[in-house]
Amino acid sequence: VNGVNRAVQVGVEDNTGLFAIKMYVAKVDVLVVSPAEDEWSKHTNEHAVVDTCKLLLSPMPGTLISYAVKEGDHVVEGQELCIVEAMKMQNILQSARFGVIGKCIGVVGSSVQAYEIILEFSSEDQGEEEENVTNDNR
């Protein structure tokens, strides 16, 4: 780095050719491809990047059991948003951001697919961190 040798930690390759490179507290994912793969990738279309930072997506297929919030509620990081039941396990979906609930889209008692939108945050909470969801088994 800038002419100075630095020690980095290289993680194990996953099945996609992605390596995790770490130095101090920084972590960067690096994709390693062959020259032929690099040439081929220049002729493929870029996938559209979908902004999901204001959405709560179901992490798995299951049934939406209940909401712990309603439209207009202010939520904090770690607050329970809803429960999705999958394979007889109830999974609490929590918010990893501060914000305001804009719309509860999922219907309680209905099936949800993986990555289906369950709720969306209001646009009035702009500038907040990206929404991440964690699961806790009940």
Side-chain angles (χ1 to χ4, degrees):
V1 178
N2 294 331
V4 178
N5 291 334
R6 301 282 183 184
V8 296
Q9 184 178 11
V10 179
V12 179
E13 176 191 10
D14 65 12
N15 62 352
T16 64
L18 202 61
F19 287 89
I21 308 280
K22 295 180 185 178
M23 186 172 96
Y24 301 116
V25 296
K27 178 185 171 193
V28 177
D29 290 327
V30 178
L31 180 63
V32 178
V33 296
S34 70
E37 289 173 315
D38 181 52
E39 187 59 35
W40 177 79
S41 69
K42 293 175 185 175
H43 302 287
T44 61
N45 293 330
E46 288 289 323
H47 294 286
V49 177
V50 179
D51 183 12
T52 61
C53 70
K54 295 199 178 293
L55 303 174
L56 173 65
L57 304 177
S58 178
M60 67 201 79
T63 303
L64 180 60
I65 299 298
S66 65
Y67 282 107
V69 294
K70 61 183 183 306
E71 293 176 12
D73 283 357
H74 290 266
V75 296
V76 296
E77 186 174 345
Q79 182 173 342
E80 179 181 333
L81 299 176
C82 64
I83 298 175
V84 172
E85 183 177 79
M87 298 177 63
K88 301 192 186 221
M89 297 282 294
Q90 291 192 349
N91 299 280
I92 300 171
L93 304 187
Q94 298 175 325
S95 178
R97 66 174 284 174
F98 295 89
V100 178
I101 303 300
K103 186 175 182 184
C104 295
I105 296 171
V107 177
V108 173
S110 67
S111 295
V112 291
Q113 298 301 314
Y115 309 111
E116 184 175 336
I117 300 171
I118 295 176
L119 63 80
E120 64 183 33
F121 287 86
S122 172
S123 59
E124 71 182 57
D125 58 344
Q126 290 180 356
E128 298 291 340
E129 295 176 355
E130 278 196 14
E131 193 271 328
N132 296 308
V133 178
T134 58
N135 293 331
D136 290 331
N137 290 330
R138 213 183 235 197

